[in-house]
Amino acid sequence: MTDARPPVTDRETWAAALADLRRREKAATRELDAIAAQRRRLPMVELDDYTLTGAEGPIRLAEVFDGHSQLIVYNHMWNDGATFQCPGCTGFTTQFSRLDYLADYDARFVIITPGPIEEALAYKRRVGNRMDWYSSAGTTFSADVDAAQGEGFAVNVFLRDGDTVYRTWHSAGRGTEQLGFVFGLLDVLPYGRQEEWQDSPAGWPQSPTFTRWRGAEEIAAAYGEPDA
């Protein structure tokens, strides 16, 4: 806990300060709308006919869409043989537990990792992940979408036309934040994310980046299947 607090003022002064902030928030919303409009106008690039591996065995990338025309892929970081994988990837994907509504928009969200499928499925159970997992092991898929083993995580979006798959969008690092809800919730709190890189008033609680994030072991204990 901290004794630091925002200054206390009267209702009128608070409302005026909020209105000033609201103008910036509205401007940011309009800018995000414009960015999304530009994203919808991006060209796309045709991909090879990759064969990945799923829970039921080999599966073509076009089949991963499960009949939908759009696919969002979280490319999960992976270390072969590790009991617990990247805590950032593990925590980020834990946010997504109810994705059926994407089908109403002709879309699907899955995880693809370069790790062996047996390890990937075991890890899914261990940490209580809800999405379907696929492995790109033995293919160049992960490297071709900027998520090679040892290089980090990414989000990629694809469009399917029959059996042909196109890559339409990619992001990594903080560019993936917009897909989750946790950071958005933290950012409206008085103390924010409480990470030392953030611009906060003097005395606000701040910690080194990542230190408040839950580790993969904690996530497994909270959400995973027993003995997975």
Side-chain angles (χ1 to χ4, degrees), residues 74 87-96 109 155 176-177 179-180 183:
Y74 186 86
C89 290
T90 304
F92 185 79
T93 56
T94 296
Q95 299 176 80
F96 306 107
F109 194 141
V155 171
T176 65
E177 286 184 7
L179 304 182
F183 289 132

Side-chain angles (χ1 to χ4, degrees), residues 2-16:
T2 178
D3 293 331
R5 299 286 187 273
V8 178
T9 188
D10 58 82
R11 184 184 298 269
E12 290 74 19
T13 303
W14 174 83

Side-chain angles (χ1 to χ4, degrees), residues 54-132:
E56 305 301 323
I59 182 171
R60 295 174 64 196
L61 178 59
E63 296 173 321
V64 174
F65 286 71
D66 196 28
H68 302 299
S69 66
Q70 302 169 103
L71 179 70
I72 302 170
V73 170
Y74 186 86
N75 299 101
H76 201 292
M77 293 178 65
W78 197 262
N79 290 309
D80 288 350
T83 301
F84 291 104
Q85 301 293 335
C86 168
C89 290
T90 304
F92 185 79
T93 56
T94 296
Q95 299 176 80
F96 306 107
S97 60
R98 296 180 180 178
L99 293 168
D100 292 346
Y101 69 90
L102 287 176
D104 299 337
Y105 296 85
D106 194 22
R108 191 182 187 209
F109 194 141
V110 303
I111 289 178
I112 297 180
T113 178
I117 188 61
E118 295 81 6
E119 290 186 16
L121 296 177
Y123 191 66
K124 171 189 174 180
R125 296 189 298 271
R126 187 173 302 128
V127 298
N129 192 279
R130 302 293 184 85
M131 285 177 277
D132 287 330

